[in-house]
Amino acid sequence: MNSLNLRWADVEDARGIAEVHVASWRSAYCGLIDQQVLDELSVSTRADGWRLILSEIAVPRPREMTPHRILVADVDERIVGWASFGAGRDKGMTDQGEIAGLYVHPEFWSQKIGHALMVSAEQHLSDADFQSAYLWVLFGNTRAISFYDRHGWTADGEEKVGNAGGAKGLHEQRHVRALHSTKPIGDAE
């Protein structure tokens, strides 16, 4: 693998993000989500959605209303992964950070790209003064659960059932983690 670059996403990245999103859903969720839903995923439709999301990020808002930021990982200018994170979107959770999504193209699994995205997302959340963070993971997604476990995330017993990406009744469990600031104590800003 050539050099990995992490950077903030912009509107021009919508298609690359969508390609990773669709490919990773089809691989990671095979057998966990209705196959027809996975077969019907459209990179073009997802790209349109990502263009809208990415254009919204540029609008200034208070912290609790700011859309999540999106960090992309690219190799040779090809987007191979991304992470979306910011203030918690769930009721009563805006004081915590949330990792809303972290996906790596299956061709690049087990190459430390997910690790680089996770470490960077956690650091950005910590730098934004979040003391802890949470994420949701689909029940049965053992690969993702193992990844999160290795990064210090633990299930806290909270569960939800929701809809996303055309799939209905997605059973998810919440994982949480304390964030540790690397800022020196007493550091003036």
Side-chain angles (χ1 to χ4, degrees):
M1 177 175 76
N2 291 331
S3 180
L4 174 66
N5 179 45
L6 299 182
R7 61 180 174 76
W8 295 116
D10 59 39
V11 175
E12 290 78 30
D13 295 321
R15 182 160 187 89
I17 292 169
E19 288 170 353
V20 170
H21 207 174
V22 169
S24 60
W25 265 54
R26 286 181 175 155
S27 291
Y29 300 152
C30 184
L32 301 175
I33 292 179
D34 182 351
Q35 189 60 45
Q36 183 176 349
V37 170
L38 297 175
D39 292 343
E40 292 175 354
L41 291 174
S42 161
V43 170
S44 177
T45 300
R46 286 278 170 118
D48 290 343
W50 279 110
R51 272 186 211 89
L52 182 62
I53 291 167
L54 291 165
S55 66
E56 285 291 313
I57 289 173
V59 179
R61 294 185 176 91
R63 178 173 122 162
E64 67 275 4
M65 298 186 67
T66 301
H68 283 196
R69 303 217 39 207
I70 299 161
L71 190 66
V72 294
D74 70 48
V75 174
D76 296 330
E77 299 182 20
R78 174 186 174 192
I79 294 175
V80 298
W82 58 267
S84 171
F85 54 90
R89 299 170 298 166
D90 294 286
K91 185 177 181 180
M93 301 293 281
T94 58
D95 62 329
Q96 292 189 44
E98 178 189 13
I99 295 183
L102 193 154
Y103 293 96
V104 174
H105 196 287
E107 292 175 13
F108 291 85
W109 283 355
S110 300
Q111 296 183 40
K112 303 286 186 195
I113 294 167
H115 171 76
L117 286 164
M118 179 60 81
V119 168
S120 185
E122 289 172 354
Q123 187 60 55
H124 283 291
L125 289 170
S126 179
D127 290 349
D129 295 324
F130 290 108
Q131 302 300 308
S132 60
Y134 71 96
L135 56 82
W136 294 97
V137 61
L138 189 63
F139 265 91
N141 189 350
T142 55
R143 181 182 186 90
I145 292 167
S146 176
F147 173 81
Y148 298 135
D149 286 348
R150 287 191 310 274
H151 285 87
W153 295 79
T154 58
D156 71 352
E158 288 295 316
E159 299 178 10
K160 72 177 181 178
V161 177
N163 305 323
K168 298 188 184 322
L170 299 175
H171 190 186
E172 297 175 293
Q173 61 184 10
R174 188 171 67 192
H175 288 236
V176 296
R177 185 183 197 293
L179 299 173
H180 305 287
S181 175
T182 58
K183 293 179 186 175
I185 295 174
D187 188 29
E189 293 191 34

